[in-house]
Amino acid sequence: MEVLADRWGQWLSQVGGAMRDSDIRQALTARLATKYDSQPDTQIRHELGLCAGRTRVDVAVINGHISGFEIKSDQDKLTRLELQAELYSRVLDRASLVTTGRYLDQAAEMIPSWWGVWLALPGERAVRLRNVRRGSRNPSPNPFSVAQLLWRDEAMALLRERGSHRGLSKAPRWFVWERLAETLELGELQAEVRRVLRTREDWPTRP
């Protein structure tokens, strides 16, 4: 990683610029769109809220897994990265950090070993992305946090299908999520959450 970071530093000193979040996000979105173009059931979403809004995934891919990408550009700070990594790790099946040479080494030490790491490099016309650490599956997602990806009515619908909704008609969403996490085995819960998210239509207007 040090060699790639050094190259980035040399480029930065020459041009006197900084890589922005929007530049990295555009390159990442384009790469993901190309990769999943032939998979119509795959959803690519920006700013996916986790843990009742405590954090948001910069870019999320929802298909047979829920994968999240956290972007740290030259203009960002790392002060929240450890908390973000903790919350991401409660929910996501896979996670990756996408950052520049400025933060590559420091940020990679702040995230779990199962996370992937991508390096954003300057190109002639657009940012280039290089995979410098291959990620793996999240070893310990939290069922309650996974359930929180659903809106209250979505979670209640799953409970009704299983006859486990009694006593929750006026209960706050926290109790609904808790019941759902207790009712479904983790694998089934994850599969149902992915299914609901892939078919959700009114993302922009719902809390």
Side-chain angles (χ1 to χ4, degrees):
M1 291 187 185
E2 289 84 354
V3 173
L4 294 174
D6 288 344
R7 290 177 181 173
W8 174 89
Q10 293 170 4
W11 172 87
L12 185 61
S13 64
Q14 292 172 358
V15 301
M19 207 173 301
R20 300 173 299 176
D21 178 287
S22 58
D23 298 325
I24 299 172
R25 189 183 296 258
Q26 183 177 11
L28 176 61
T29 303
R31 182 163 182 155
L32 294 173
T34 299
K35 179 177 180 180
Y36 295 108
D37 180 61
S38 62
Q39 301 180 25
D41 288 339
T42 294
Q43 293 277 346
I44 298 174
R45 294 290 174 181
H46 293 262
E47 306 298 330
L48 174 66
L50 303 181
C51 300
R54 291 186 63 189
T55 192
R56 293 181 180 275
V57 179
D58 286 326
V59 183
V61 177
I62 306 166
N63 44 36
H65 301 93
I66 300 179
S67 304
F69 296 83
E70 173 60 27
I71 298 171
K72 291 299 181 188
S73 71
D74 292 332
Q75 298 174 333
D76 289 322
K77 296 181 180 179
L78 301 183
T79 52
R80 296 188 65 246
L81 180 57
E82 289 184 331
L83 175 60
Q84 290 171 315
E86 177 191 345
L87 297 176
Y88 275 38
S89 299
R90 293 182 189 181
V91 182
L92 302 177
D93 299 307
R94 296 179 180 275
S96 294
L97 172 72
V98 186
T99 191
T100 68
R102 172 173 288 173
Y103 290 134
L104 180 63
D105 294 329
Q106 181 183 356
E109 294 179 357
M110 299 171 66
I111 59 177
S113 59
W114 60 269
W115 279 47
V117 178
W118 291 80
L119 177 65
L121 293 164
E124 293 184 3
R125 297 183 179 180
V127 170
R128 295 183 295 111
L129 299 176
R130 181 175 298 177
N131 190 334
V132 297
R133 189 172 90 187
R134 186 176 297 277
S136 58
R137 184 93 182 235
N138 183 357
S140 55
N142 177 268
F144 179 79
S145 299
V146 173
Q148 285 183 296
L149 284 170
L150 299 180
W151 294 325
R152 186 185 185 282
D153 57 344
E154 294 169 339
M156 280 294 291
L158 293 179
L159 289 172
R160 288 193 187 94
E161 292 174 2
R162 293 159 176 80
S164 300
H165 63 290
R166 292 174 179 80
L168 295 175
S169 61
K170 297 182 179 180
R173 56 183 181 166
W174 303 93
F175 293 96
V176 178
W177 289 328
E178 184 176 32
R179 178 76 63 82
L180 187 63
E182 293 173 348
T183 300
L184 277 65
E185 295 290 339
L186 178 59
E188 182 183 7
L189 173 63
Q190 291 173 311
E192 288 287 13
V193 168
R194 292 192 296 264
R195 178 184 63 80
V196 172
L197 294 184
R198 287 199 306 270
T199 57
R200 183 187 285 174
E201 296 182 353
D202 51 349
W203 288 80
T205 60
R206 293 286 297 273

